[in-house]
Amino acid sequence: MLSRKPRTKKPKAPPPLESQPLTIRQRKIDPISVPLPPRLIQDASRIPTEMDLFHHFRTSTIQDLGTALTPNEFWYMHALPLGHAVEPIKYAICALGGAHKCFKSQILGSETAALAVHGLEEISIQQYNLAIHHIKEFTRTPSNSNMEVILTCCVIFICIETLLGRYSEALRHLQSGGALLTSLRQLSVGHMRLDGTERKGSKERNKFFDDIAAMLSRLGQDVAIYVGADVIPQLYFYLTPELEVEEQVTPFESVNAAAKSLFHIETEWSARIYLAGQQMEGSPDYGETVVDPALFCDSVMAMTEKYHLESVSHFYYNWSDRFDRLKSQVDMKALTKRDQHRLMTLSMEQAVWAALLEPMTSDDDLRPESCDEILRRAEALVQSDFFESMPVFAFDANLIPAMTLVCTSCNDIGIQRRCVNILRSIRRREGIWDSQEMADILESMVIAREKDLVSWDVIPWKVPQLAALVASLRISPFKAPKGIMSLAEEGVECFWHGVKGIAY
């Protein structure tokens, strides 16, 4: 989703440092090769518990993960086959299946269900620990195949920690994955022969690493909106966005093509916003004085021109025109259920982009009319057949951050109540964005405003700080989740500096 422009509410923070290159301890042992997976009709394990967890991943978890707008071939074409052949990936998948089953079971609510959930969490952690134990052997030899195994486990570990509500640990895995991908770029020369041609199989490996980079980059952008800081900005520059230089007038050939194009625009925008933010934070007067709103707008205009943000917005307007042409031609009934969901999600994001690209005001609020359009499309999305009563875990975030953005950027109680109602009506976790957690936080914020316990000007839009604020007001029955409060207590600076990243 689109990152915000620099805001007056943004507190001073130390500039992020580049992640340290990954140091891999080497020993003279034979490289570990990844064998071809057997037929997928076979069970990955003969142990009943592992068979059950793996089956749950294959039949349920992967269905949720497949709803992402970013590349999802990873789960079907890579993680699942390797889970039948590579021990750490098998255990990681079992752990993810257990965590997802635990997440799905929380809706039951009974005491018996609570005990079952606790047991599932314990089993998931046991499988998680087995995956970590078995992956150590792969870290000792930096071959391409071993790096594929490590990065595959990294993505799965992020999902496990997210489902278990341990957001700080998920961010550490995310940053470590970003550092590993960055270090692997230095090894890319090894894919080339002396005559400059690529070695056999290198294109497939490069595609794998590019797909992983895209997945982690999208997660990084979702996290940046959540915590208000870029935790893996290096991945914004890992991929070269495929932006159309010349304006196109033809509709997108498919929903997938439209989603891919918007992701490239969002990545380019995030990269330039990051550079603009670095410029602002590098100013000797940043955070030291109160900036006049008019001067602030002037400084934003200067940064907009310097980092060519207007050219990125031009890419969006061209994308929006092509997307409108696609919507006018497509037959919704002829689309698959998944593409219907993706089309409606993109339509909502289209409205979010339009609202954020409107002329910036000194208070940085969104217009109620623009928010109404976003909510109208969001309400149509949640009322569609795609949304079910059972909890859903999606890999990337779209709906929940959009509702949070509107609720914290529009000073209209009616708009804010609609955002809370939309979140309350679904049970969904998109990355670290949980619909029920955000509904609790935002509803407490609205109650606090209605009771004049807090003014609009001091409400932060960073989720951990907002949760800490409403928790301090002791509005019953709100209780801030431990995962969010851990981010508020530790502060995002530790992730910027990379001092707590997990070394694979």
Side-chain angles (χ1 to χ4, degrees):
M1 203 182 91
L2 176 62
S3 299
R4 295 174 186 252
K5 293 181 181 179
R7 300 182 53 157
T8 53
K9 293 182 182 180
K10 186 174 182 180
K12 183 178 180 182
L17 302 179
E18 295 184 359
S19 299
Q20 296 296 321
L22 182 71
T23 301
I24 302 176
R25 186 176 60 186
Q26 301 185 34
R27 294 194 315 178
K28 291 184 178 181
I29 60 176
D30 295 330
I32 300 173
S33 61
V34 179
L36 292 175
R39 293 177 180 267
L40 297 186
I41 58 173
Q42 298 179 0
D43 289 317
S45 174
R46 294 183 179 180
I47 301 175
T49 299
E50 293 176 359
M51 290 173 61
D52 176 66
L53 297 179
F54 201 97
H55 176 76
H56 179 84
F57 171 84
R58 186 170 55 195
T59 58
S60 179
T61 309
I62 205 169
Q63 301 299 321
D64 282 5
L65 295 170
T67 63
L69 293 180
T70 42
N72 52 38
E73 295 86 358
F74 167 82
W75 300 105
Y76 295 95
M77 306 302 294
H78 190 83
L80 185 57
L82 284 182
H84 286 74
V86 184
E87 287 286 277
I89 296 179
K90 179 192 74 174
Y91 289 121
I93 283 178
C94 289
L96 179 54
H100 184 255
K101 200 171 186 179
C102 177
F103 172 73
K104 290 277 193 180
S105 301
Q106 290 176 352
I107 193 175
L108 300 177
S110 65
E111 183 176 348
T112 302
L115 292 174
V117 166
H118 180 70
L120 281 170
E121 184 172 332
E122 287 188 343
I123 293 173
S124 177
I125 292 174
Q126 290 172 2
Q127 296 290 310
Y128 186 14
N129 290 335
L130 285 171
I132 293 174
H133 172 75
H134 283 273
I135 203 174
K136 291 179 181 179
E137 189 69 20
F138 289 77
T139 65
R140 299 187 180 121
T141 306
S143 67
N144 283 327
S145 296
N146 288 356
M147 293 303 103
E148 289 181 33
V149 172
I150 294 170
L151 284 168
T152 298
C153 285
C154 174
V155 173
I156 298 174
F157 290 165
I158 292 171
C159 295
I160 295 169
E161 295 288 12
T162 299
L163 280 169
L164 295 178
R166 305 193 305 202
Y167 301 148
S168 294
E169 298 301 321
L171 264 61
R172 291 187 180 99
H173 281 297
L174 176 61
Q175 190 182 47
S176 295
L180 179 55
L181 276 170
T182 302
S183 67
L184 286 175
R185 295 193 69 180
Q186 301 174 1
L187 303 177
S188 61
V189 178
H191 293 311
M192 306 299 292
R193 297 181 185 273
L194 293 178
D195 61 2
T197 60
E198 290 186 294
R199 293 178 178 174
K200 183 179 180 180
S202 62
K203 287 186 178 181
E204 289 76 10
R205 291 193 181 97
N206 285 337
K207 183 182 185 306
F208 167 80
F209 292 131
D210 287 349
D211 286 348
I212 289 289
M215 294 173 71
L216 295 185
S217 178
R218 178 55 194 261
L219 284 181
Q221 293 177 55
D222 294 341
V223 168
I225 302 171
Y226 194 91
V227 301
D230 295 285
V231 295
I232 49 169
Q234 68 271 28
L235 288 192
Y236 296 158
F237 311 96
Y238 183 96
L239 298 172
T240 302
E242 300 173 10
L243 300 177
E244 297 286 351
V245 177
E246 296 184 2
E247 186 171 329
Q248 301 290 314
V249 295
T250 57
F252 286 107
E253 61 183 16
S254 66
V255 178
N256 185 62
K260 183 178 180 180
S261 177
L262 184 60
F263 171 68
H264 289 148
I265 295 173
E266 290 174 337
T267 301
E268 183 69 16
W269 177 271
S270 296
R272 299 192 192 192
I273 284 289
Y274 169 73
L275 293 174
Q278 289 289 94
Q279 176 74 13
M280 178 182 286
E281 292 171 4
S283 170
D285 297 327
Y286 175 75
E288 300 297 331
T289 58
V290 177
V291 181
D292 180 82
L295 295 178
F296 174 77
C297 289
D298 288 342
S299 67
V300 171
M301 289 293 291
M303 286 190 297
T304 297
E305 181 178 350
K306 180 175 181 180
Y307 293 102
H308 307 291
L309 295 179
E310 289 298 332
S311 65
V312 181
S313 63
H314 172 74
F315 288 129
Y316 159 72
Y317 290 124
N318 184 226
W319 177 91
S320 182
D321 180 63
R322 297 183 66 194
F323 183 62
D324 283 337
R325 293 172 186 266
L326 172 67
K327 288 193 294 182
S328 67
Q329 296 181 8
V330 73
D331 180 6
M332 287 291 287
K333 295 181 180 179
L335 294 177
T336 64
K337 189 176 180 180
R338 179 173 176 270
D339 275 348
Q340 290 178 21
H341 169 254
R342 288 159 68 89
L343 186 72
M344 297 180 74
T345 301
L346 287 171
S347 183
M348 181 198 65
E349 291 206 340
Q350 180 186 33
V352 174
W353 264 90
L356 288 174
L357 290 179
E358 290 176 345
M360 191 174 182
T361 61
S362 58
D363 58 8
D364 203 19
D365 281 353
L366 299 181
R367 295 190 307 113
E369 298 81 2
S370 301
C371 294
D372 179 73
E373 180 61 24
I374 296 172
L375 295 180
R376 187 182 66 81
R377 299 188 186 192
E379 287 163 347
L381 176 61
V382 299
Q383 291 168 8
S384 65
D385 294 337
F386 188 84
F387 279 77
E388 303 173 354
S389 58
M390 290 296 291
V392 172
F393 173 63
F395 184 78
D396 52 16
N398 300 286
L399 176 62
I400 304 172
M403 295 302 93
T404 304
L405 170 70
V406 170
C407 196
T408 58
S409 300
C410 183
N411 190 10
D412 183 295
I413 294 293
I415 291 290
Q416 294 168 357
R417 282 290 183 187
R418 284 175 67 188
C419 292
V420 173
N421 290 339
I422 290 173
L423 293 173
R424 189 71 73 194
S425 69
I426 59 175
R427 288 183 174 271
R428 186 175 180 85
R429 183 169 294 180
E430 301 176 338
I432 63 174
W433 293 84
D434 185 274
S435 61
Q436 297 304 302
E437 290 178 354
M438 290 312 308
D440 290 341
I441 294 171
L442 296 175
E443 186 172 35
S444 296
M445 180 200 79
V446 174
I447 294 173
R449 288 199 57 222
E450 290 176 330
K451 293 183 177 180
D452 291 327
L453 299 178
V454 64
S455 67
W456 175 247
D457 294 336
V458 301
I459 291 178
W461 52 269
K462 302 174 184 180
V463 174
Q465 284 71 22
L466 179 59
L469 173 63
V470 296
S472 68
L473 300 176
R474 302 184 183 281
I475 300 174
S476 180
F478 175 75
K479 185 177 181 181
K482 292 181 180 179
I484 298 178
M485 293 307 296
S486 68
L487 293 176
E489 293 166 359
E490 294 183 26
V492 76
E493 290 81 2
C494 64
F495 301 106
W496 273 346
H497 290 281
V499 296
K500 294 187 178 181
I502 298 173
Y504 293 118

